[in-house]
Amino acid sequence: MAATSSRSSSVSTGPIAQPRRAFLRFGAGLATVGGGYVLYRPANDRQLVFATVADAMREVERLASAAVGPLPPATAWSWSQTLVHCAQSIEYSLMGFPAPKSALFQNTLGRAAFNLFALRGRMSHNLAEPIPGAPVLEASAQALAALARLRKAAQDFSTHTGPLHPHFAYGALGKAQYEQAHAMHLANHLSAFDVMN
C-alpha cells in the first residue's frame, strides 16, 4: 500500500500565519497613508535632507535668490504654490489643521508613517496632494508673497512656546518632532526644484 501525503495544499491559519496576514494588511495600509505616503518617489528628485526648519529655509532662500524652476515631472505645483503649501503646514501646527484624520488613523497608520520617516530621516509623499481642508492653492500666487508667508510661518514656529496642535495625519507631536516633520516636509518639496541655468 502506497503511503499518502499528509501535507495539505491549503494555507496555514495557525499562530504564525495570522500575525503575518495582519502585518501584510498593516503594510498595505501604511503604503497608502495620505494617498501615497511612504512609497511615493517622484522622478528627478534631489533627495534633500534637513535637520531643522532653519536648514530648510536656507535652501528656500538660495532657490528664491535665483531663477528657480521645477524638475519635471517631480511636481505639478509651481514654486509659489509649493511655498504656500509648506507655509500652510507650519501655520496649521500652530493653529490647528482644518480637517484632521480620525484619532484611530493618527494613532496607527499616521504614527507608523511618521516613525518610518523619522527613522530614515526623509519623508516621501505625493507632492500634488493638498492638506485636507486647506484653501485651494492658487495658480496665480505671487512668488514674493508666498515666500514672505513661508518666512513668517517658519519664524512663528521657531519662537512659539505654547502647545502645538496635532498633525492631521501623525497626531500629537512635540516641538522637536514637529521640527523634524516640517524639515522633512520642506525637504521633500524643495527636492523637486532647483536653480535653472
Side-chain angles (χ1 to χ4, degrees):
M1 177 184 240
T4 59
S5 173
S6 62
R7 294 175 65 184
S8 169
S9 62
S10 65
V11 176
S12 170
T13 59
I16 293 175
Q18 301 242 352
R20 182 175 183 275
R21 278 201 306 273
F23 175 78
L24 291 174
R25 280 195 306 271
F26 175 76
L30 186 57
T32 60
V33 169
Y37 280 86
V38 182
L39 298 182
Y40 183 84
R41 169 97 190 275
N44 214 8
D45 180 349
R46 291 193 299 145
Q47 297 286 300
L48 296 173
V49 174
F50 303 120
T52 66
V53 172
D55 291 341
M57 289 305 296
R58 280 189 280 280
E59 177 64 4
V60 168
E61 298 297 345
R62 183 187 79 83
L63 292 171
S65 69
V68 63
L71 300 174
T75 183
W77 288 342
S78 70
W79 174 242
S80 299
Q81 288 172 307
T82 298
L83 295 178
V84 170
H85 169 77
C86 291
Q88 287 175 335
S89 181
I90 297 171
E91 291 164 353
Y92 289 144
S93 69
L94 303 176
M95 64 186 197
F97 284 82
K101 293 186 179 289
S102 70
L104 176 63
F105 181 96
Q106 291 176 359
N107 291 318
T108 55
L109 296 178
R111 177 61 54 184
F114 176 77
N115 288 339
L116 176 62
F117 296 152
L119 182 66
R120 70 180 189 174
R122 191 167 202 290
M123 89 179 298
S124 305
H125 77 299
N126 183 340
L127 299 181
E129 183 178 2
I131 296 168
V136 173
L137 298 171
E138 298 295 334
S140 61
Q142 297 299 307
L144 287 178
L147 178 60
R149 181 173 174 179
L150 179 56
R151 284 174 176 154
K152 182 178 185 321
Q155 180 61 33
D156 289 349
F157 177 79
S158 174
T159 59
H160 184 78
T161 57
L164 295 162
H165 291 268
H167 187 274
F168 79 92
Y170 307 147
L173 298 175
K175 182 79 181 269
Q177 290 174 310
Y178 249 129
E179 177 91 29
Q180 186 176 21
H182 290 321
M184 290 189 296
H185 186 237
L186 282 158
N188 197 192
H189 279 284
L190 296 178
S191 289
F193 292 87
D194 205 353
V195 172
M196 298 290 105
N197 294 325

